[in-house]
């Protein structure tokens, strides 16, 4: 082997950030690659090492650690969050009247990107065969919305006013002007939950007196793989947990410069017998900018690495569903994919 046993563990578990590149970026812990290591798949070992730790959770964002898993699975999970968790979005726009300066196509596109607060788990996918019946839609697969607004002059405006907010009424069309028109028994089913746009302050168009919009919209269930408007997240990303190791004691002025090389909160200065000594406090906060490498007298005092099986996920929801629900739904999609793959392996056509 090219690597000695002393640094095999580092190669297997760390991505090392050097001055001229990043080392150990590829997964190498497959069976038979390292003598003395049993890397064959073991369910009990996986269950022992794998865990998910929720670090932060609020209404629209979630940060959690996924530990003890390969990058390929973590990336599959990220891609499912982006493109395969279904939501409801505006698919059909029927424009009966549009006298604004915004073209019909541009207006329809803007409306399609408005996130709709509706639980997709309560709806079915619309059959492709129903596309011909454009204005048809049942209560189980379609949400109907309406936008009907007309701009007029404000009779109470002062003569010398030049502010459009005083001169005109309804001159700014916002997503709050979109109203829900229940189909079938939807009014009873969603009696405790009003379907509406997630945000009320999304600007759709600007009007002047005499201009109006009369639009009917149909929302259907879809996934981000088909169109970005169905993506339930504003962003879903992960990064590896940074690891910062001080190879020597750093004191005095060097310690102050070392602290400034990292993000705030990563390095702290503590007083040891009257001497300022640098100490790693929270390497998680580091952005791995490698600023320390620019200092010739500091770059050999610090070792920068990332744990290859510790993923810090950040999920930001568009507001359609809470982020913890999105993570749960993504896990269900991944489980379905795995089950389908196992079923295909067991099917007679594979023999």
């Amino acid at each position: 082997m090219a690597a000695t046993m002393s640094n095999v563990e580092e190669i297997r578990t760390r991505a090392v950030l050097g001055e001229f590149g990043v080392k150990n970026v590829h997964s190498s812990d497959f069976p038979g690659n390292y003598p003395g290591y049993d890397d064959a798949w073991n369910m009990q070992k996986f269950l022992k090492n794998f865990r998910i730790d929720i670090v932060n959770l609020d209404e629209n964002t979630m940060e959690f650690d996924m530990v003890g898993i390969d990058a390929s699975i973590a990336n599959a999970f990220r891609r499912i969050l982006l493109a395969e968790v279904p939501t409801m979005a505006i698919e059909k726009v029927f424009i009966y009247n549009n006298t604004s300066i915004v073209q019909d196509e541009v207006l329809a596109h803007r409306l399609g990107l408005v996130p709709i607060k509706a639980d997709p788990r309560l709806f079915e996918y619309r059959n492709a065969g129903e596309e011909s019946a454009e204005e048809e839609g049942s209560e189980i697969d379609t949400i109907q919305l309406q936008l009907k607004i007309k701009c007029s002059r404000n009779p109470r405006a002062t003569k010398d006013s030049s502010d459009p907010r005083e001169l005109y009424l309804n001159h700014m069309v916002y997503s709050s002007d979109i109203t829900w028109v229940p189909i079938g028994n939807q009014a009873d089913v969603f009696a405790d939950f009003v379907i509406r746009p997630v945000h009320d302050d999304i600007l759709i168009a600007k009007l002047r007196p005499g201009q109006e919009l009369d639009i009917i919209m149909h929302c259907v269930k879809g996934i981000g793989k088909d169109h970005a408007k169905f993506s339930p997240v504003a962003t879903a990303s992960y990064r590896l947990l940074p690891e910062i190791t001080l190879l020597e004691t750093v004191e005095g002025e060097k310690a102050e410069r070392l602290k400034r090389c990292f993000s705030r909160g990563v390095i702290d200065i503590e007083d040891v017998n009257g001497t300022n000594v640098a100490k790693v406090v929270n390497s998680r906060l580091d952005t791995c900018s490698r600023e320390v490498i620019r200092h010739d007298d500091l770059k050999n005092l610090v070792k920068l690495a990332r744990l290859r099986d510790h993923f810090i996920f950040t999920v930001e929801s568009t507001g359609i569903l809470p982020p913890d629900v999105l993570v749960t739904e993504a896990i269900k999609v991944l489980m379905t994919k795995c089950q389908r793959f196992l079923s295909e392996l067991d099917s007679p056509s594979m023999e």
Side-chain angles (χ1 to χ4, degrees):
M1 289 181 58
T4 61
M5 293 301 294
S6 60
N7 63 356
V8 164
E9 190 63 26
E10 178 182 290
I11 295 175
R12 288 164 50 86
T13 61
R14 304 289 192 275
V16 180
L17 284 71
E19 183 174 3
F20 301 106
V22 182
K23 299 185 295 182
N24 310 334
V25 295
H26 300 293
S27 296
S28 57
D29 52 348
F30 46 85
N33 193 36
Y34 296 107
Y37 286 91
D38 181 15
D39 289 317
W41 169 255
N42 185 290
M43 176 60 76
Q44 296 302 322
K45 181 180 178 182
F46 172 77
L47 293 176
K48 180 181 178 181
N49 296 330
F50 178 73
R51 72 177 193 273
I52 294 179
D53 301 325
I54 298 177
V55 178
N56 180 50
L57 175 63
D58 57 31
E59 184 179 359
N60 290 319
T61 60
M62 179 179 182
E63 182 180 333
F64 63 93
D65 293 357
M66 187 178 287
V67 186
I69 205 165
D70 189 74
S72 58
I73 304 299
N75 193 49
F77 182 73
R78 179 191 67 87
R79 290 174 64 110
I80 289 173
L81 274 170
L82 287 170
E84 296 189 58
V85 175
T87 62
M88 303 295 290
I90 296 173
E91 177 73 7
K92 297 289 185 180
V93 178
F94 306 104
I95 301 177
Y96 295 101
N97 194 7
N98 174 22
T99 54
S100 71
I101 63 172
V102 184
Q103 298 94 330
D104 290 354
E105 296 84 352
V106 176
L107 185 60
H109 183 263
R110 290 179 66 83
L111 290 170
L113 294 176
V114 175
I116 305 300
K117 187 77 171 180
D119 193 337
R121 296 170 294 181
L122 304 178
F123 293 88
E124 303 291 338
Y125 286 100
R126 191 167 182 178
N127 295 329
E130 297 178 2
E131 292 294 330
S132 57
E134 292 183 345
E135 299 191 18
E136 295 293 329
S138 66
E139 63 270 13
I140 64 172
D141 60 20
T142 304
I143 297 173
Q144 182 169 295
L145 303 174
Q146 184 180 32
L147 176 59
K148 190 170 185 178
I149 190 170
K150 184 175 182 178
C151 179
S152 60
R153 294 188 179 275
N154 184 5
R156 298 183 179 181
T158 58
K159 293 183 179 180
D160 56 347
S161 176
S162 60
D163 189 349
R165 291 173 295 183
E166 296 182 15
L167 290 173
Y168 313 126
L169 300 175
N170 299 326
H171 76 289
M172 303 279 275
V173 183
Y174 290 101
S175 53
S176 58
D177 297 312
I178 298 176
T179 57
W180 171 45
V181 181
I183 302 174
N185 65 346
Q186 287 182 348
D188 298 327
V189 175
F190 301 102
D192 299 328
F193 181 83
V194 178
I195 296 174
R196 58 177 178 81
V198 173
H199 306 287
D200 293 332
D201 57 350
I202 300 176
L203 181 63
I204 296 173
K206 294 183 179 181
L207 304 179
R208 286 298 180 263
Q211 296 179 348
E212 64 178 306
L213 296 174
D214 188 1
I215 301 170
I216 295 293
M217 296 153 280
H218 285 179
C219 300
V220 300
K221 189 174 181 177
I223 57 176
K225 186 186 294 185
D226 296 330
H227 196 285
K229 66 186 177 185
F230 291 110
S231 181
V233 294
T235 180
S237 61
Y238 64 78
R239 61 189 179 97
L240 296 177
L241 178 68
E243 183 183 65
I244 301 171
T245 306
L246 298 181
L247 303 178
E248 298 180 15
T249 302
V250 183
E251 303 174 341
E253 186 269 340
K254 282 187 177 181
E256 294 290 345
R257 281 194 293 121
L258 182 68
K259 179 180 178 179
R260 293 195 295 269
C261 289
F262 295 91
S263 303
R264 182 177 297 180
V266 175
I267 302 292
D268 197 9
I269 304 297
E270 62 178 8
D271 191 321
V272 179
N273 298 326
T275 304
N276 290 335
V277 179
K279 176 184 177 182
V280 179
V281 178
N282 188 358
S283 60
R284 182 191 184 90
L285 301 176
D286 187 39
T287 59
C288 294
S289 64
R290 295 187 286 182
E291 168 71 17
V292 67
I293 295 177
R294 299 179 60 186
H295 302 263
D296 292 334
D297 58 339
L298 295 178
K299 64 182 181 181
N300 294 324
L301 305 180
V302 182
K303 184 176 182 179
L304 306 177
R306 285 180 179 246
L307 299 183
R308 294 223 321 227
D309 67 342
H310 192 135
F311 299 89
I312 302 174
F313 268 87
T314 302
V315 178
E316 181 181 345
S317 170
T318 58
I320 297 174
L321 290 173
D324 54 330
V325 175
L326 294 179
V327 170
T328 304
E329 292 299 308
I331 293 174
K332 291 179 181 178
V333 172
L334 184 57
M335 292 171 61
T336 303
K337 284 176 171 287
C338 295
Q339 189 60 50
R340 186 184 305 128
F341 178 69
L342 293 175
S343 299
E344 287 294 328
L345 290 178
D346 295 335
S347 64
S349 60
M350 295 295 295
E351 297 179 357

